[in-house]
Amino acid sequence: MSDLIVSGDVARLLHAAREVIAHAHAPYSGFPVGAAILTVSGEVFAGCNVENAAYPLGLCAEAAALGVMVSARGAQRLRAALVLTARPAPSWPCGGCRQRLQEFMGAEAMVYAAGCGAEPVGMPFARLLPLAFGADDLAPGPS
């Protein structure tokens, strides 16, 4: 399958994110989020945010979607990710989730942000997280 993203792929991601955002547990922030990811093989996995009264213990929607993917299929390369919020304007993944996505995305993969009242807006992952830290940074260097 080509790495090219087509409108049907974005529609599938948006549909999956809409399905899971309804299950978001966001009683503290009032900011429900649904996320969906698309593997290079064409599978879609989705997750929603799960807040906790002890704020650092919450789980972002992107992290939940990645956990579903890895639990179901193991680590997979991603072609795209979409984040949907219940507010009208789109919101991009937080810094921590950008790093989590980097583990599975190449620079050319697409990331989309969508609000409930707006069409998804996309950009290549390299623009979203320039100079990302990845596995290549862990390779042994000169002593």
Side-chain angles (χ1 to χ4, degrees), residues 36-41 43-47 61-80 100-101 103-105:
I37 54 179
L38 175 67
T39 67
V40 294
S41 65
E43 290 183 283
V44 173
F45 297 93
E62 299 91 328
L66 290 169
V68 170
M69 175 192 73
V70 172
S71 295
R73 297 284 188 264
Q76 304 288 310
R77 293 300 292 167
L78 299 179
R79 287 182 24 218
R100 286 180 184 94
L101 289 168
E103 187 73 15
F104 304 97
M105 292 187 126

Side-chain angles (χ1 to χ4, degrees), residues 16-45:
R18 281 187 178 133
E19 294 264 315
V20 296
I21 197 172
H23 302 292
H25 179 71
Y28 307 106
S29 71
F31 192 73
V33 179
I37 54 179
L38 175 67
T39 67
V40 294
S41 65
E43 290 183 283
V44 173
F45 297 93

Side-chain angles (χ1 to χ4, degrees), residues 46-65:
C48 61
N49 60 325
V50 181
E51 293 180 353
N52 188 285
Y55 291 133
L57 300 180
L59 181 66
C60 291
E62 299 91 328

